[in-house]
Each structure stands twice: as structure tokens, then as C-alpha cells.
Amino acid sequence: MRVAVSFGKSKMYSALVLNIHQTKPTLYEAKDIHQILDEIPLVNELQLKHWQWIASYYMCSLGDVYRAALPSAFLLESETIINKNESFTDESILADDEFLIFEALQHQSQLTIHQVSDILGKKKVMPIVNALIKKEAITIKEEIYEQYKPKLVKYVRLHANYSSDDSLNALLEELSRAKKQREAVLAFFQLLSTKKPIKAKDLEEKAAVSSSILKSLVTKNIFEFYHIQTDRVQFKGDTNDLKVLNEFQEKALAEIKETFKEKDVTLLHGITSSGKTEVYTKLIQEVLDAGKQVLFLLPEIALTTQIITRLQFYFGEQISVFHSKYSMNERVEVWNNILENKPKARIILGARSCIFLPFSNLGLIVVDEEHETSYKQFEPSPRYNARDAAIVLSKLHSAKILLGSATPSLESFFNAQQKKYGFVALNRRHGNVQLPKIELIDVKEKQRKKEMKGHFSDRLLKLIQEALDLKEQVILFQNRRGFSPVVECKTCGVSPQCPNCDVSLTFHKFRYELRCHYCNYQRAMPNSCGACGSNTLDNKGFGTEKIELELKELFPDFNIGRMDLDTTRGKFGYQKIIVAFEAKEIDILVGTQMLSKGLDFENVSLVGVLSADSMLNYPDFRAHERAYDMMVQVSGRAGRSKKQGNVAIQTYNPYHQILQQVSTTNYIEMYKEQLQERWQYKYPPYYRLIKITLKHRDYTKVDTGVNWLFKALYNSFGENVLGPTAPAVSRIRNQYIKNIVIKIPPKQSLANTKNQVTKIRNTFEAVKDFRPIRFIVDVDAY
């Protein structure tokens, strides 16, 4: 359960009791528990075991996991309450600010610290409050406030006096003059025939009266109001029969069940649009029939909106959704429903944070698009990978876990090849539609022949026009948001940089401003160069916003939509765009990698990738694997329902081996080639990686710190320590960054390595000069 504990003089925190024992701490005096906040435990034992595993495996503290796991409403904060000391009379000894507070207390019985800072118009008010305590003018106490407020819906019922028929007739006569009130009563009886509780709002609408009329009926003791607590998010939906699977899906389903007999983890390698979701629904149904819970993990919030609609069709009200676009109160409700194992929380859908929920009897976990990098958390700690943590979670519950993807990550595929996981392949598209035709367009050649129009080759424009003429939709993929990534002066070559980070500012045309995509710094677009004063500023490169504007000029009669971080800010941002595209209100959709994830649009016949090279030329050992995944996933959005789709990929280097493998969708060839490289250069899945990052505002401090750390690690691990290096963006938010990577060979014990790293870290933090440096450890940092 949660308890409130006081730290220092004026702060209260909520803590979680892990276990109760009688051994006293020796080095410090233990604090008293101020109060117990829960009647029933908020977290269960299996959850705690899982949290402890995450803390030890990802080398972070249990407190970090606790903070990441609980919805913020449960992490109570305290509020200091100020009361007037009645026996204090001598106001002359008070300073001006102190007198203002004292005077406010004459009118109000108590004030909070927030209110005091409002009265004084200052942030720093504790010194003044402390002075008042010394002069004995006020007393203070700590008050803990619960942040979650349940949603109450107002209902109406008839007062007990009117239970007999005679009293009702008398009532209607009594109200013969009050026309509106009489209408309200008659409408109430009409609604009563439905035998359901009557909401005050429904009655107001039915009788066309205002809320004040209902209030006056309540004061006359004719009606009574009462409240019922309800959840903020509820999924309507009736339970329809599941779709009948085709022979290939049936075969895959049978194989999955077969592998589950021997193995707990199974990898389902199903090509795009092979109907993986239908296979999942069958498995989910069986687990639900056995009375267990199901966790369905998705990499992107954009995907949840579409999958919810599909699953709701079959499972109706048994679905709960949990992700960061939901409000704090909505998340608390989902948490409580799962904790109490309610029927409305049998299937839990959501992004990576779902693995922290209080499950009591999980039967199945489905990790869809398991190759996705979004499953890995990078900031803040715990830096966990939801796919790997979900595998451990399923072990704790003795549940089964299914990893599904059209482009499995090398690690998962390697584990399946090594017979660690079960493996099932589904390599026919649903309805036997063929995989899209992929063609590579050589931009270098097109530029030489002057056949480019803006950022579009003549071939791509022809394909777009053909698709639009047939009333089909088009998706264009460009993994950069904004208008142009670099603004450069033609005279002196200087481009505006972010003052806090080591990057050039991106131009956003919609607001006519320059913005940093790392720290959100923004400023108006200048008219002239800040260095030489000439007004010849030029845009280099292109983002989704520029593509959208170019398309509007090229295809003025069609609707063009854009889906990226800037257009999906609100809670329903994703939903609006996806629904509009499904309803064919948008003809061409331009977007970033959000588009590449498992979305299902039946009318898309063409997918265009505008520049494939930016994904390939990236300083990361997984760049090629990721580029392959992203392009295959994006091309999988084409031609999903009836006829074969088209994919056009624009590139400067059409003979690159990855692009050749994408054009033939040859996963096995890519896998073998990448595996060969990983073995040669000692990377996962053969070697494990631990990445250590140091951050500080002072460059020399970070530099001396990182050199000291490198020597210490080199003494322990020798050649397997890489670094120290500065990342591509070596300063973010005014913090300089340096990295060191430790490679752990297959035979070396992971636990011993971590212990050694922890020892070195403790020594590092004991050095006075190094103490202010942020020390970040990221296990499996890929």
C-alpha cells in the first residue's frame, strides 16, 4: 500500500511499502509514517517482482520504476496549510509582506502556500512564512491532497412522498400553473418506462427545460438528485462473431498453438497485410474463454486508434486502453479496473507503459510490430525495452507471448533460429492479393536529364496522377517534419543554429518560424543573415511541410493531408486524420514514420518514398536494418484489399544492397547479410551492449570525466570498451554529451559486468569534481 512520509520540514511524499520487518537502520533515524493512504493494496506482488527485475536488469533504482509505473495521480504531493495564531495581537512587529499574509488570514480561515505566492506575487515565499512562524503569528500543518477525482453523473428520481397514485394526481394538479415544471414531470414518467436510471441531462433534453427548473422541483421535494460514479472512457460495441480465417491463417493459428505447448515465446513472421490481427483475435478469444486477461502491446498511439475500432467490433466492452494521450484521471480508472479484474478490463491495449499495470492473471501477451524502436524507452530512466520486459512479465504469470511482425528484429529472428522461441511464418497476403510492385527511381539520373519537378521525379508524378484518376489514395513518406532542415545564407554560407543545442534550426513555414527539434527553442524567421546582413537566405533540404505545399501546387483539385508530430498534438489528433483518410476525404497523405506502422487503409494503391538515402546514411550499426524495416512497412500500406499496389522509392543510389533487398522484399537475404556484419564487428545479437552517457554544461568537466571513466573501464574490460565519442548531436539543451560503449562477449557473465560497472560508477561519483556530471547507464542500448 501507499503511505505518506514527511521529508524535511515542509514536504510530504507518497511511498510504497515493499515489506515489513523489524531490523532497524543503523546509519540513520527512520521516519514515522504519517498516514496510510490505501484501504486495499494498489500494487500486487507479481508486479513488484517484475519491477525488481526491471530495476536490476536495466540498472536503475526501484524508485524510478515506481515513478514510471504509477499514474501521476497516485504520486501524492503535500500542500502546506497556514493558520492564524489566535493569541497573536502585536501587528506592529510585522514587515509589509508579512502583514499582507496576516491580513488575508483575518478574512480566510486558512491559506495554502500557492495562495500566499499569489497574494505576494512572488515565487519565493517560504522565508516570509518562516519569519511569521518565528514571530508566532501563524501555525502551519501539512495536508495531503488526492489528485484523482472520480467522475460523478447526476441522476434524478421521484421523492419518496410520491409513491402512491393519489399523491401523483394531486401533484399534477398542483403543478397545473407551473407549465414547465409539469412538462418536466411528465417527461420523467415517459423516461421511467425504459426501466433505466434517468440522467438529469437526458431529462433536461427530453422535456426541453433548463437545469434551474429541475432544481426548483428538487427544492419543492418532488424530485431528488443522486450521483453514480462512472468511468471517463467506455467502449461501446457489441460482440460480433470473429471473421472466418482463410486456410493460411488457420494453418498459422494451429502452428502457434502447437509451438505454445513447448515454448512460451513464439515469433509470428507474417508479411504485410497477411491478416495477423485476425489470427490474434482468435487467440485472444480462447484466452478470454479461459477467464484470463490479455495484454496487446502496440508501438505507436496512432496505431491504437485503428486497432481499437477493429477489436471493439469483436470484443465490445471488454477493452481498456492505456497510453500517454489519456488524461491522468482516465489512466487511474483503467488501473483500478485491472486491479479489481473487472470484466471491462479483460483486454488491455496500449503502448509500452502498459507492462507496468497491476495484472493478476495474464493469459496472453501480444506484441505487435515487435521490431519497433518505439518499444525502447530512452529518457527518463527506467530505460527499458517493453518487448523484453513483456517476455519476463509473461514468465511471471506463466502466460504465453506472441511477437508479431512483417520485418522481425534481428535479435528475435536469431532467437527463433536458435530454437529459443517458437517460429511461425504466414507468407500469403489476405485474399491472395500480391505484394506491391516496388520500383527504384534514380534521382541522380533524373536531375541530369532535368526531369525533376521540385522534389518529385516525372515517374512519381505520373504514378500519383494515375492513382488519383482511378479515385485511389496515395501515401507519401518523408521522415523529416517541418519545411526545410537548414536555412543558409547564399553570400557567406552561415546558417542559423540553436543556442542550446548543436544543430541547425528547422524552418516551419506555417508559423513562419525557426524551430529546434531537440529542445523546442523557436524564433521568428529572420529577413536577413545574422552574420553578414545580406538578405539572400536559401532553404536546403525538405520536410513534410514543404512536400505538402508543393503537392498543393501540383494537384490543386485534390485534398492533401499531413500526419506528423506537428499535426497530431491533441488527444484526438491521430483519430481525426486517420478517420478522414479512411473516409476518403484526403486523397494524398504525407507523413513521417508514424505512417509506416501497421495501419490498414483499403483504398491506397500507391506509396512513394521521397528520399531513401537519409535513412541509410546514418551513423548507427542498425541503420540498414531499420531502413529495410521502415521501407518494407511503408510499402506494405499499398494495395491491401483487391489489386496489387505500387511503390516508388526515390534514391541517389538505386544499386545499394538494402534497396535491392527492399525491392524484392527479401527478408532472409537481408537477415543473413546483416548477421554476417554483426558477427564481424561484434554487435548484437552476438554481443550485448551497455552504453554510458555523461552530460554536463561544462565541456571540460565532461571531457576530463569521460577520460577518467574510459581508463577505469578499460582496465576492467580491455578492448571491449569503445569510446569516448561525441554523438552526432553533441550538445542538447546546453548539456555537452559524451558516450562510452561496453561490449559484452557471449561467454561473459552479464551480472558480473553490471556489478563491475556499478563499482566504477560509485568510485566516479565519489570524486568531488565529477559529482555534478549526469551519469546515465543504458543496458541493451540499441
Side-chain angles (χ1 to χ4, degrees), residues 8 33 52 72 198 533 617 640 718 741:
I33 287 177
Q52 282 164 324
S72 54
I198 297 166
N617 309 326
R640 289 174 76 92
V741 173

Side-chain angles (χ1 to χ4, degrees), residues 32-222:
D32 284 339
I33 287 177
H34 179 71
Q35 68 188 84
I36 297 176
L37 298 168
D38 299 315
E39 286 173 22
I40 54 164
L42 196 69
V43 173
N44 61 40
E45 282 181 32
L46 284 170
Q47 228 179 333
L48 282 175
K49 273 188 188 161
H50 190 224
W51 290 5
Q52 282 164 324
W53 176 82
I54 289 178
S56 74
Y57 186 82
Y58 290 105
M59 295 176 78
C60 60
S61 65
L62 249 178
D64 283 338
V65 186
Y66 163 61
R67 201 188 289 105
L70 284 189
S72 54
F74 287 143
L75 302 172
L76 297 185
E77 289 292 315
S78 62
E79 177 73 278
T80 307
I81 304 281
I82 300 173
N83 293 312
K84 189 174 75 171
N85 182 1
E86 295 300 342
S87 56
F88 177 81
T89 47
D90 186 10
E91 293 177 12
S92 59
I93 63 169
L94 299 181
D96 292 351
D97 280 349
E98 294 164 9
F99 181 72
L100 276 176
I101 299 175
F102 189 75
E103 192 183 33
L105 281 169
Q106 311 278 10
H107 306 295
Q108 272 167 292
S109 57
Q110 55 181 43
L111 289 172
T112 64
I113 291 286
H114 287 300
Q115 288 167 321
V116 170
S117 69
D118 289 344
I119 292 168
L120 299 178
K122 286 181 183 173
K123 284 253 171 68
K124 237 179 157 181
V125 292
M126 278 319 277
I128 301 165
V129 173
N130 289 335
L132 279 165
I133 296 170
K134 274 186 190 149
K135 294 175 183 174
E136 293 185 356
I138 59 168
T139 56
I140 66 169
K141 71 172 201 288
E142 285 297 320
E143 195 80 8
I144 288 207
Y145 59 97
E146 196 56 89
Q147 293 167 307
Y148 165 67
K149 290 190 174 57
K151 182 182 180 187
L152 300 172
V153 178
K154 195 194 272 182
Y155 285 85
V156 181
R157 60 181 167 217
L158 208 55
H159 198 280
N161 303 348
Y162 298 100
S163 49
S164 65
D165 290 352
D166 303 343
S167 55
L168 290 176
N169 291 335
L171 165 66
L172 290 172
E173 273 172 30
E174 189 189 321
L175 292 176
S176 57
R177 284 194 187 152
K179 201 165 144 231
K180 284 280 187 199
Q181 293 184 7
R182 188 188 163 125
E183 275 174 22
V185 172
L186 289 169
F188 176 81
F189 285 116
Q190 281 175 322
L191 286 172
L192 202 59
S193 60
T194 60
K195 301 224 168 30
K196 281 184 182 166
I198 297 166
K199 286 184 189 171
K201 208 172 180 183
D202 293 350
L203 182 56
E204 284 166 26
E205 281 171 16
K206 174 93 177 154
V209 294
S210 67
S211 56
S212 55
I213 287 177
L214 289 192
K215 272 186 194 144
S216 53
L217 282 166
V218 171
T219 40
K220 283 186 178 176
N221 279 345
I222 295 169

Side-chain angles (χ1 to χ4, degrees), residues 222-353:
I222 295 169
F223 281 165
E224 283 180 328
F225 284 147
Y226 64 105
H227 293 87
I228 297 179
Q229 186 176 333
T230 59
D231 281 356
R232 286 170 169 80
V233 181
Q234 289 175 335
F235 290 104
K236 307 271 181 299
D238 26 305
T239 43
N240 294 296
D241 289 339
L242 300 182
K243 279 190 186 159
V244 178
L245 302 185
N246 64 24
E247 52 178 312
F248 304 107
Q249 289 169 310
E250 279 292 356
K251 184 166 166 273
L253 181 64
E255 283 177 14
I256 291 170
K257 286 188 204 160
E258 197 52 46
T259 56
F260 273 162
K261 285 179 187 166
E262 291 171 22
K263 303 218 166 42
D264 292 336
V265 188
T266 292
L267 175 64
L268 170 64
H269 181 193
I271 57 171
T272 51
S273 185
S274 56
K276 292 190 285 293
T277 313
E278 280 7 281
V279 177
Y280 299 155
T281 49
K282 288 280 190 196
L283 281 168
I284 290 172
Q285 188 59 61
E286 288 183 12
V287 174
L288 292 185
D289 293 343
K292 294 193 166 227
Q293 297 167 315
V294 176
L295 170 60
F296 197 124
L297 282 178
L298 292 153
E300 274 277 347
I301 299 172
L303 246 178
T304 50
T305 46
Q306 224 190 11
I307 295 268
I308 289 166
T309 342
R310 287 169 71 175
L311 291 186
Q312 207 179 322
F313 182 70
Y314 305 129
F315 302 114
E317 292 162 356
Q318 304 178 338
I319 298 177
S320 285
V321 179
F322 188 89
H323 59 63
S324 60
K325 280 273 194 283
Y326 273 34
S327 75
M328 182 181 77
N329 289 334
E330 288 164 352
R331 281 188 261 176
V332 170
E333 282 161 12
V334 173
W335 181 284
N336 290 335
N337 290 342
I338 296 172
L339 190 63
E340 293 159 27
N341 204 353
K342 286 198 178 159
K344 65 172 89 168
R346 304 276 303 281
I347 303 175
I348 293 88
L349 255 146
R352 58 177 180 238
S353 53

